[in-house]
C-alpha cells in the first residue's frame, strides 16, 4: 500500500535550507516513530528544529506529534542540506540523536554533525549535546542536499557513520558518500574515514534535497544503501531513489547499483530539502520507504512525508534477472575483453579509435582485478586496436595484428602474448602479412589460426597463418579465398572450421561455409536467412558442444558511401552439423532487432543476448532488455532492461560467479562509454547455489577428475571455456558436457572429453548445475 503525502503539522518556516527524516522507536513502546528535522532559513542566522511523531503506521498516520525542539548552537547562516539519524551509539539501551548540516559560506562548504545523547520519549535530549564535529575532506563549494545514516557495517559492534552529499558544480550534479568507522558515544570516528565514493549515473543537473538510508533489503545479512534525491527541472519536480546493493565493511557498494525508481505523484514544483528512511512499519518483514520533502511555494513552506511500498528490481529478479551498475569504470574503452585463468579481466584497446592517441603512441591496456575496483595499467608496446585474439593452452592470450595506420587503415604484422601471471605483454615473431580486423581461432593441437584482416587500405589478407608457440613462429596454410573481416569462425568436432555467416562489414559474397584446413576445400552451408544483414551479428556454438549446433542472431546491413540508415534484424537461425546435410533453419526471432549485440553462453546451457540497437550507432533505438535463448525449446525470454546502451566496440563476458559483465561502446571517434554494468541472470535468484570443489585443477583428455558438492542432486556438469569478446563476436566460449557420477557423500567423478577438437586444450571453468537450474561458482581446470 502507499499513503498520500501527509503534512507535518505546525510547519513554521517560510524558507528552508535542508530537511531530514528518521524512523525509530523513540519512546520504547514497540512501535516505530518518525523524527523530522528542518533548517529554518530566515534573513540572518539559520536554525535547526526537530520533532517526533509517535506510532508511524504503514498508511502514514501518526498518533500525535510532540512539539518542535531546537538544536542548540546551530551552525551556519547559510546551509545547503541537513540530515538526522537515531541510534544507540554507546549501547546503553537509550537512543541518541545525530544531527548533520552543510555550512555554505561564500567559499568552500563543510559538513558538520553533533550528537544529542539519550533521547526522551518526547524527543528531548536528556544527556546533553556534544560539539559540532567536521566531516574531513569536504570537497564541494556548492551543495544541493545532504544526509547521514548510522549502521554497523564492519561487524565491529560499534556503529559507523555514513555521510552523503550532492555536489552542485556548474553542470550536472553528483552524489557522493563516505563512511566514518567505529563511532563513539560523543561522535568521534575512531576507525578512520573511507574515501568519497560516487553514486553512479546521478539523477539531475539541479537538485533540491537528498537523503540516504541503510537497511538489509534482501535479507542476506548485508546492508544496502538507499539513496533518494529530488530532481528540480524548470517544471514539476520529482523524487527518485536507487539502491546500492551489499555495503561491505569498508563502505563500498560491492554488488553494484540498481536502476532509479520514481516516487509517484510527486508533490511540489519547488522544494527546499528532502530525505528518506526505510523501516518495516506493518510488521510483515518487508520494509517500507518513507520519503520526506519541503514544499516551497511563494508563501509559507510545508514539510510533507509519504510512506510507500519499497519497490526494487528484486521483485522480478527470479524471472528477468537484474542489472547492476558499478561505481568505477574501465578507464579505457574496452574494444577487446577476455577472462583470464586468474579471474582477472584483460581489457585492451590500443589507440581505441582515436587518431590523436595513435599519433602520440598512447596505447592502452587494463587488467581488472574482478570483482574489486582495482585496475592495473600494463605497458602496451603496439597499437592493438582491432587486433585478433585467442587463448593459448597455458592460459596466456595471443593478440595478432592491429593498427599500423589510420584512414586508410593498415594492419600490423606484430604478435604479442599477454601473461596473466605477470600481467605483461611479450613480443612474439611477426606474421608474414599485416592484419586489421582478423579472426583468430584456437585449434585442437594448441596452435592458433589467423584469418583475413586488412593488410593495407581495402586489401584483404587472403593468406591464412598458424601460430605455434614452441618454438614461436608462423606458417601458412591453404587459402579459402577472400574471407570477411572478423569472420565468425568455429572449430568443429571433425577438425574443420565453420564460417557462420557473421562478420564486421560485408561478407564479400562468401556464404556460410565449412573449410578443410588440410586440403583447402570449402563446402557451402545453405539456408541462412537475410545473409546480407549479418554485419555485426552474434554467433555461438550452442551448448553443449557435443550437439554441434551453431546459432547466428541479429546483425544489420552494410553502409555504402556513408549514406542512409543501416537497420538491424531480429532474425535467428541454427545449423545442426550432426545432420546428413547441415543447413541453417530459422528459429524464433529475438524480441528486439539488434546489431552490435553480444551473445554469451551461460552455465545453465542457455544463451544471453545483450546490447545492440535497431539501427547502427543509434542509442535512441538501443535494445536495453536482455534476452535469453533456450536451445531446447528454441524460444526467447525477455530479461531486465540495462541502463547503458551498448553499440559498436562493446563487449560481454561470463564471469566465474555466473554473472555477465558488459562494457564499452564507441559509436563515433572520441565518444567512449566507460561504465561497467553487470547482469545477474535469473538463476541467481532461484535458491541457494550448489558448491563444487575440484580435487585438482589439472586434467587430461579421457581422464577423470574428482570433486565434492553439497547439492543433493545435480542436473549437469560442464566445462565452460572463458570468453574473449570483440566486435560482437566471441569464438573462444564453448560449453562441453561432462558425464559424471556421484555418491551419497557428495563425491563426484567427472569424465573429461577425449576429443581435442571438441574442447581445445586450455583453461576451463567447471560449473555444476542443480535440478532447479542454479549453477555453482565456476572452478578452474586446465585441460591438457
Amino acid at each position: 500500500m502507499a499513503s498520500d503525502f501527509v503534512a507535518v503539522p505546525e510547519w513554521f518556516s517560510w524558507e528552508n535550507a535542508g530537511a531530514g527524516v528518521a524512523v525509530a522507536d523513540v519512546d520504547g513502546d514497540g512501535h516505530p516513530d518518525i523524527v523530522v528535522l528542518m533548517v529554518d532559513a530566515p534573513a540572518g542566522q539559520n536554525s535547526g528544529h526537530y520533532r517526533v511523531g509517535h506510532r508511524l503506521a504503514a498508511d502514514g498516520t501518526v498518533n500525535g506529534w510532540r512539539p518542535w525542539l531546537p538544536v542548540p548552537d546551530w551552525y551556519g547562516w547559510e546551509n545547503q542540506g541537513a540530515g538526522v539519524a537515531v541510534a544507540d551509539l554507546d549501547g546503553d539501551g537509550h537512543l541518541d540523536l545525530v544531527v548533520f548540516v552543510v555550512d555554505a559560506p561564500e567559499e568552500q562548504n563543510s559538513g558538520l554533525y553533533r550528537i544529542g545523547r539519550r533521547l526522551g520519549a518526547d524527543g528531548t535530549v536528556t544527556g546533553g549535546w556534544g560539539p559540532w564535529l567536521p566531516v574531513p575532506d569536504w570537497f564541494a563549494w556548492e551543495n544541493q542536499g545532504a544526509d547521514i545514516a548510522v549502521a554497523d557495517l564492519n561487524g565491529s559492534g560499534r556503529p559507523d557513520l555514513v555521510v552523503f552529499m550532492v555536489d552542485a558544480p556548474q553542470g550536472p550534479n553528483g552524489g557522493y558518500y563516505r563512511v566514518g568507522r567505529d563511532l563513539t558515544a560523543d561522535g568521534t570516528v575512531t576507525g578512520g574515514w573511507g574515501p568519497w565514493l560516487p553514486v553512479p549515473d546521478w539523477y539531475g543537473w539541479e537538485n533540491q534535497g537528498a537523503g540516504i538510508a541503510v537497511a538489509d533489503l534482501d535479507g542476506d545479512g548485508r546492508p544496502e544503501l538507499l539513496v533518494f534525491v529530488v530532481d528540480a527541472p524548470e517544471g514539476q519536480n520529482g523524487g527518485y531513489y536507487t539502491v546500492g546493493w551489499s555495503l561491505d565493511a569498508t563502505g563500498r557498494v560491492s554488488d553494484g547499483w540498481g536502476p532509479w525508481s520514481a516516487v509517484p505523484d510527486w508533490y511540489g514544483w519547488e522544494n527546499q530539502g528532502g530525505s528518506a528512511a526505510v523501516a518495516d512499519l506493518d510488521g510483515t518483514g518487508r520494509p517500507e520507504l518513507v520519503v520526506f520533502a519541503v514544499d516551497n511555494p511563494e508563501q509559507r513552506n510545508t514539510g510533507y512525508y509519504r510512506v510507500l511500498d519499497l519497490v526494487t528490481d528484486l521483485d522480478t529478479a527470479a524471472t528477468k534477472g537484474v542489472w547492476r551498475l558499478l561505481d568505477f569504470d574501465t578507464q579505457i574503452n574496452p574494444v577487446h575483453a577476455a577472462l583470464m585463468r586468474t579471474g582477472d579481466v584483460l581489457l585492451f584497446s590500443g589507440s581505441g579509435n582515436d587518431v590523436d592517441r595513435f599519433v602520440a603512441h598512447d596505447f592502452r591496456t587494463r587488467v581488472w582485478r574482478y570483482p574489486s575496483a582495482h585496475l592495473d595499467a600494463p605497458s602496451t608496446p603496439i597499437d592493438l586496436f582491432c587486433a585478433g585474439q585467442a587463448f593459448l593452452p597455458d592460459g596466456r592470450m595471443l593478440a595478432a595484428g592491429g593498427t599500423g595506420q589510420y584512414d586508410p587503415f593498415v594492419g600490423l604484422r606484430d604478435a604479442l602474448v599477454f601473461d596473466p601471471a605477470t600481467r605483461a605483454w611479450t613480443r612474439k615473431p611477426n606474421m608474414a602479412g599485416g592484419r586489421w580486423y582478423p579472426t583468430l581461432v584456437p585449434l585442437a593441437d594448441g596452435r592458433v589460426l589467423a584469418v583475413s584482416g586488412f593488410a593495407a587500405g581495402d586489401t584483404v589478407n587472403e593468406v591464412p597463418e598458424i601460430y605455434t608457440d614452441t618454438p614461436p613462429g608462423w606458417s601458412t596454410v591453404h587459402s579459402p579465398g577472400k574471407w570477411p573481416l572478423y569472420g565468425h569462425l568455429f572449430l568443429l568436432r571433425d577438425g574443420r572450421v565453420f564460417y557462420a555467416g557473421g562478420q564486421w562489414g560485408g561478407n564479400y559474397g562468401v556464404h556460410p561455409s565449412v573449410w578443410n584446413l588440410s586440403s583447402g576445400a570449402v563446402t557451402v552451408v545453405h539456408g541462412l536467412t537475410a545473409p546480407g544483414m549479418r554485419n555485426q551479428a552474434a554467433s555461438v556454438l550452442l551448448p553443449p558442444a557435443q550437439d554441434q549446433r551453431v546459432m547466428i542472431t541479429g546483425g544489420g546491413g552494410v553502409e555504402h558511401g556513408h549514406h542512409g540508415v543501416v537497420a538491424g534484424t531480429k532474425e535467428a537461425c541454427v545449423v545442426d552439423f550432426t545432420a546428413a546435410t547441415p543447413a541453417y533453419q530459422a528459429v524464433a526471432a529475438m524480441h528486439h532487432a539488434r546489431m552490435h549485440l553480444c551473445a554469451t553462453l551461460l552455465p545453465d546451457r542457455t544463451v544471453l543476448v545483450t546490447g545492440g540497437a535497431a539501427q547502427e550507432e543509434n542509442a535512441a533505438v538501443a535494445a536495453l532488455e536482455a534476452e535469453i535463448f533456450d536451445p531446447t525449446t528454441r524460444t526467447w525470454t525477455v530479461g531486465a532492461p540495462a541502463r547503458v546502451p551498448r553499440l559498436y566496440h562493446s563487449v560481454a563476458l561470463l564471469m566465474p560467479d555466473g554473472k555477465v559483465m558488459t562494457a564499452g561502446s564507441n559509436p563515433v571517434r572520441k565518444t567512449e562509454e566507460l561504465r561497467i554494468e553487470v547482469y545477474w541472470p535469473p538463476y541467481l535468484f532461484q535458491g541457494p547455489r550448489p558448491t563444487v570443489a575440484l580435487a585438482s585443477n589439472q586434467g587430461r583428455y579421457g581422464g577423470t577428475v574428482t570433486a565434492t558438492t553439497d547439492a543433493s542432486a545435480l542436473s549437469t556438469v560442464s566445462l565452460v571455456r572463458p570468453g574473449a569478446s570483440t566486435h560482437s563476436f566471441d569464438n573462444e566460449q564453448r560449453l562441453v558436457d561432462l558425464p559424471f557420477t556421484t555418491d551419497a557423500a557428495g563425491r563426484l567423478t567427472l569424465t573429461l572429453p577425449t576429443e581435442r577438437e571438441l574442447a581445445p586444450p586450455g583453461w576451463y571453468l567447471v560449473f555444476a548445475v542443480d535440478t532447479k537450474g542454479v549453477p555453482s561458482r565456476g572452478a578452474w581446470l586446465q585441460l591438457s
Side-chain angles (χ1 to χ4, degrees):
M1 65 180 296
S3 76
D4 294 327
F5 277 99
V6 180
V8 177
E10 301 166 4
W11 195 273
F12 60 83
S13 179
W14 285 57
E15 295 292 331
N16 294 108
V21 67
V23 176
D25 182 6
V26 175
D27 56 7
D29 67 351
H31 297 279
D33 308 308
I34 185 171
V35 181
V36 296
L37 169 75
M38 72 145 115
V39 178
D40 183 30
Q45 172 74 47
N46 287 358
S47 59
H49 302 261
Y50 69 97
R51 73 185 310 191
V52 177
H54 288 292
R55 291 202 175 194
L56 175 65
D59 63 1
T61 57
V62 169
N63 187 21
W65 286 89
R66 293 292 183 169
W68 286 103
L69 298 170
V71 178
D73 305 322
W74 188 257
Y75 203 102
W77 283 55
E78 295 290 333
N79 298 119
Q80 290 182 341
V84 63
V86 178
D88 182 2
L89 299 182
D90 55 7
D92 66 352
H94 296 278
L95 295 176
D96 306 302
L97 186 69
V98 188
V99 176
F100 171 68
V101 67
V102 177
D103 182 35
E106 292 185 3
E107 299 178 347
Q108 172 81 49
N109 285 3
S110 59
L112 304 105
Y113 65 96
R114 72 185 310 195
I115 311 298
R117 292 184 288 273
R118 295 175 69 100
L119 278 180
D122 61 355
T124 304
V125 170
T126 64
W129 286 88
W132 286 103
L133 299 171
V135 177
D137 304 321
W138 194 272
F139 62 84
W141 285 58
E142 296 291 329
N143 295 109
Q144 289 186 337
D147 201 6
I148 54 168
V150 175
D152 182 7
L153 302 181
N154 59 10
S156 68
R158 302 207 58 86
D160 305 307
L161 184 66
V162 185
V163 178
F164 174 76
M165 69 152 152
V166 178
D167 182 34
Q170 293 183 349
N173 289 356
Y176 299 86
Y177 71 98
R178 73 183 311 193
V179 175
R181 292 181 289 273
D182 294 341
L183 198 65
T184 63
D186 64 359
T188 303
V189 170
T190 61
W193 286 89
W196 286 105
L197 298 170
V199 177
D201 246 20
W202 186 252
Y203 204 102
W205 282 55
E206 295 293 329
N207 298 119
Q208 290 181 348
I212 57 171
V214 176
D216 181 3
L217 301 182
D218 55 6
D220 67 351
R222 296 179 296 176
E224 276 69 53
L225 178 64
L226 182 140
V227 175
F228 164 78
V229 66
V230 179
D231 183 36
E234 291 185 2
Q236 171 78 47
N237 285 1
Y240 300 86
Y241 64 93
T242 182
V243 176
W245 295 91
S246 295
L247 276 172
D248 65 20
T250 69
R252 176 173 288 280
V253 169
S254 60
D255 285 347
W257 291 83
W260 287 98
S261 299
V263 176
D265 305 318
W266 185 255
Y267 199 98
W269 284 57
E270 295 292 329
N271 296 111
Q272 287 187 336
S275 188
V278 172
D280 181 8
L281 301 179
D282 55 10
T284 63
R286 182 185 176 103
E288 283 77 38
L289 174 65
V290 182
V291 296
F292 177 61
V294 179
D295 184 34
N296 175 232
E298 292 184 2
Q299 301 172 7
R300 189 172 63 186
N301 289 358
T302 306
Y304 292 89
Y305 67 91
R306 188 179 191 190
V307 179
L308 300 164
D309 292 328
L310 182 58
V311 177
T312 72
D313 52 6
L314 285 184
D315 297 327
T316 57
T319 56
K320 293 182 177 294
V322 300
W323 287 92
R324 298 285 182 254
L325 189 66
L326 303 189
D327 62 359
F328 60 95
D329 60 42
T330 54
Q331 302 178 6
I332 65 173
N333 187 69
V335 178
H336 304 261
L339 174 64
M340 310 305 289
R341 62 172 179 81
T342 56
D344 296 338
V345 178
L346 173 65
L347 307 170
F348 60 98
S349 64
S351 59
N353 202 18
D354 188 330
V355 68
D356 294 329
R357 288 200 185 101
F358 175 79
V359 172
H361 288 259
D362 180 13
F363 309 141
R364 299 170 301 162
T365 298
R366 294 293 184 271
V367 179
W368 176 21
R369 307 282 193 88
Y370 182 86
S372 77
H374 181 79
L375 284 88
D376 295 321
S379 174
T380 310
I382 63 170
D383 190 1
L384 287 172
F385 174 53
C386 297
Q389 57 192 28
F391 284 116
L392 298 174
D394 61 4
R396 292 175 299 150
M397 167 64 67
L398 172 68
T403 303
Q405 175 185 300
Y406 272 69
D407 305 322
F409 283 95
V410 172
L412 291 173
R413 297 170 53 235
D414 302 61
L416 301 178
V417 167
F418 185 84
D419 188 338
T422 61
R423 302 188 185 92
W425 291 103
T426 303
R427 283 187 174 274
K428 297 298 178 180
N430 287 351
M431 296 179 289
R435 300 185 191 274
W436 185 78
Y437 279 53
T439 302
L440 268 59
V441 184
L443 300 177
D445 56 7
R447 298 183 299 164
V448 175
L449 171 69
V451 178
S452 190
F454 280 155
D458 292 334
T459 303
V460 174
N461 187 335
E462 298 185 30
V463 180
E465 298 182 67
I466 290 183
Y467 176 78
T468 304
D469 194 50
T470 307
W474 295 88
S475 59
T476 60
V477 293
H478 294 288
S479 174
K482 183 180 180 179
W483 274 26
L485 306 182
Y486 276 137
H488 296 189
L489 304 183
F490 295 92
L491 178 67
L492 298 179
R493 194 172 197 168
D494 60 9
R496 295 182 298 168
V497 172
F498 174 52
Y499 161 56
Q503 68 281 319
W504 178 88
N507 59 18
Y508 301 131
V510 179
H511 298 283
S513 308
V514 179
W515 170 26
N516 188 313
L517 295 182
S518 299
S519 66
V522 174
T523 304
V524 172
V525 173
H526 297 283
L528 178 61
T529 63
M533 293 286 289
R534 301 302 179 173
N535 172 18
Q536 292 172 87
S539 304
V540 291
L541 180 63
L542 288 174
Q546 283 90 338
D547 288 353
Q548 291 291 280
R549 296 169 299 165
V550 173
M551 180 176 72
I552 183 169
T553 187
V558 180
E559 186 176 18
H560 295 288
H562 303 285
H563 296 291
V565 174
V566 178
T569 182
K570 60 178 68 173
E571 293 187 26
C573 292
V574 173
V575 56
D576 183 352
F577 282 98
T578 65
T581 305
Y584 270 116
Q585 294 182 346
V587 295
M590 296 181 293
H591 293 82
H592 298 281
R594 303 173 189 256
M595 62 184 303
H596 311 297
L597 70 163
C598 289
T600 307
L601 301 185
L602 299 181
D604 66 350
R605 305 189 177 197
T606 60
V607 182
L608 170 71
V609 166
T610 55
Q615 293 177 0
E616 185 171 26
E617 310 306 357
N618 188 347
V621 290
L624 297 177
E625 289 180 313
E627 297 193 52
I628 297 177
F629 181 76
D630 185 335
T632 302
T633 63
R634 295 193 169 193
T635 58
W636 295 91
T637 302
V638 175
R643 70 172 83 179
V644 182
R646 301 293 181 189
L647 306 175
Y648 189 41
H649 288 158
S650 59
V651 295
L653 291 175
L654 174 71
M655 306 307 294
D657 55 14
K659 303 166 192 171
V660 176
M661 66 81 68
T662 64
S665 193
N666 178 212
V668 295
R669 286 185 183 172
K670 296 184 180 295
T671 299
E672 298 183 334
E673 175 58 70
L674 304 182
R675 290 173 291 176
I676 305 170
E677 198 168 11
V678 177
Y679 183 65
W680 299 47
Y683 53 57
L684 294 177
F685 303 94
Q686 294 176 354
R689 303 186 69 172
T691 62
V692 61
L694 302 180
S696 171
N697 66 356
Q698 299 292 314
R700 292 187 173 277
Y701 288 97
T704 59
V705 172
T706 58
T708 56
T709 181
D710 64 356
S712 58
L714 295 176
S715 61
T716 62
V717 181
S718 308
L719 286 178
V720 178
R721 191 171 174 95
S725 175
T726 188
H727 290 81
S728 300
F729 183 50
D730 183 346
N731 67 345
E732 279 288 355
Q733 57 178 349
R734 58 175 60 207
L735 184 152
V736 182
D737 182 55
L738 290 184
F740 67 94
T741 60
T742 185
D743 63 20
R747 289 187 292 266
L748 294 170
T749 300
L750 311 177
T751 301
L752 300 178
T754 59
E755 302 162 84
R756 295 169 179 256
E757 293 80 7
L758 196 63
W763 284 86
Y764 290 79
L765 287 162
V766 176
F767 284 100
V769 180
D770 68 17
T771 53
K772 294 181 179 180
V774 181
S776 68
R777 292 175 176 270
W780 287 103
L781 174 75
Q782 186 181 23
L783 182 61
S784 62

